[in-house]
Structures are given as structure tokens and as C-alpha cells.
Amino acid sequence: MPNTRNPNAVRLEFAPGSLIQNNLSGAAFTGDWLWVAGDEACGLDRLRRLDAVGREALRFGEARDFPLADLLDLPGAADEEADLEGMAVADGYLWVVGSHGLKRKNAKPDRDHADNAKRLAKVALDSNRRLLACLPIEPDAQGEPCLVHQAQDGRRALRLKGDSQANLLTRALADDPHFGPYMAIPGKDNGFDIEGLAVDGRRLLLGLRGPVLRGWSALLEIEVEARDDQLRLVPLDDSGTLLRKHFLQLDGLGVRDLHFSGDDLYILAGPTMVLNGDIRVFKWPLARPTMKANREPVRFETALTESVSLPHGRGTNRAEAICDLPPEIAGGKPRWLVLYDAPGADRRDGEHIVFGDLLHHE
């Protein structure tokens, strides 16, 4: 018999060889089906809702992998990690975003000092990290939602125009006074690092884990449209603004995920550096209408409320993904699903099963 957890536990059963289960970083629902992403893979997993085990709240399994290379013309190699960090379902599409950031090699205990010094000086870019894309969701012959390159109604999988080094977003940020200087700094060093995505029609919110500037975290607001088999940035207003910046006071924490619930925006926040520290959920009340009415290119938002603090371990159990449960699963009560990167022994059952949490919210 499997080990059972508490009534708030959500069991996720992955296939052998999955690259996602140990680095969960994004989650979104299509009815009874759960989409999950990891930051060390170049694909997505779809899990079906199954009968719960024991007193546990929910169980998802029968995982199916959807490689991004089957859906998109990627900027990098098919097996190069995309570092997917944000997901959202909207208008029949699954939206995904990579970190867009550089990476730095780490020191290893089995290397000598000189070799580790060289490793720590090496900075690189995985091209697929600079990915922002929408993927059509379409039921197959069995009625199961699948990701497709092109749907029967004409919807196509599209990514933001770019190549292996840059895309329209990074080019727009290159000379930005706040973020331009950080584009050449690896994400784990408080450099540029996207880790949250929320979608409102054609407008997208990108949450930054870094940089955090004098304690201010940031959201980037952009608008996209399909043009010539690609996504393009379009102006947010008549003055031609391509990018708006929303600075948030999150007590020095960076954004780890974003989620709209009605008109409110929930922000999962945690350390921007490689630290063991607070992980909290903040609420921006009426964020959606506030942003629609806003015409300022830069806005500072202090009217946030802290909803809940989440558990974390030392190097384990880092909350990375948060999303609302669909009404048909939530049973009429507002609930979040929270998933964790680097799950510890307390969040595992064997080699291929990990546990998330079900949380109540107002």
C-alpha cells in the first residue's frame, strides 16, 4: 500500500524517467486535467485526475509528456532545457514562459580549487530559456485535452519572435534603465529571471524573481498579437508604449509565480538568490481593473496584503507554482494547488510520486 499523507495532500504520479517531478515550476488546469512544467526539461506533462488515496485530497497520474520540439520551432536544440517557469491557461491556449536568464556554472565538491574557479566564472545562455509561447489545447478522439501544433479551428502554436540569442522582449529591455544592466547577470545572482506568468486577454504579466531593486520586486506588462506565424509585441496605448513596469513591495522577496483569481492577483514570492528563506503569498486586490485603467509607464504598488506563509526546508520543498482549482474539483470552495521544487523525503512516495498541497483562500 502507498504511504498516505494528510487531507490537504495532492498526489502527483509521474512516469519513470520524468525530468519534471523533481523541479516543478508551473501548473495550470483544464477541467480534470493538470498541466505541469519543470525548469530542467523542454516539455510539459499532462496528468489526469484519479481516485484519491486514503484521506488525501486529490490524486493525479497517467502522465503524458508533450515535448516542446513537437509543437514549436524552438530557438535552441530539442533537448536543451527551456527553464519553463510560468504557465497559464486562457482562451483555449496553454501559455508558457522561460526564465529568459543566463546561468552560471556551480562549484563541485569533487573538483579542485582551480577547476571550480573556472566553473564559477563561466556564464552561458541556453537558447530555449528565451521562450514565450502559446500552445493550442484541443481534445483528441477520446476527448482528452492535448497540445497541438495546429488545431482544427486554425489556432496555431506560436512563440515570441526571436533567435538563439534574443527575442523581442529582451531587445526591448536591453536599454531599459532598471533592467538593462541586469540582462548580462545570471538569474541566480539577482540577474534577470522571469518566474511568473498571468494572462488577461492579449495582455501578459511577467513576474520577475530578479532583479529586486532596493527591495522592490517587478512585474512587466506587455501585449502580444499573432503576426506572420509568430507573436509580436504591440503597443499598450496610443503613445506606443511596449512595456509597463509595476514595482511591488514584497518585503525584498522576488516573484516565484503569478495567478489571477477574479480581479485579484496572487503573487507567490520567495528569495531571489539561492537562499533558504520565507516563501509567502501576497494579494494585489483589484489588480486587473487597476492595470486596465493605468496609463503610467512605471507604477509603484504598495496596497498589497499578505495572505499566507508556506513551509520550506533547507535546500528542499521550495514552493514554485500556485493556481486555483477549477470549480468542479474545488467543490465550491476557493482553493489553491501549490507545487514544490526539490521535494524532500516528506513530499515523496517512492521514486516517481511527489506531493503538493491544497490550500484554502478567501
Side-chain angles (χ1 to χ4, degrees), residues 105-148:
K105 281 189 174 292
N106 201 356
K108 289 191 172 182
D110 60 342
R111 307 292 182 92
D112 62 29
H113 297 296
D115 193 17
N116 274 331
K118 292 178 182 178
R119 289 180 59 83
L120 205 59
K122 188 171 183 180
V123 174
L125 169 66
D126 289 337
S127 300
N128 288 338
R129 288 176 171 233
R130 295 195 164 169
L131 178 70
L132 173 62
C134 60
L135 309 169
I137 304 172
E138 182 174 66
D140 62 12
Q142 289 73 42
E144 301 178 358
C146 295
L147 300 179
V148 296

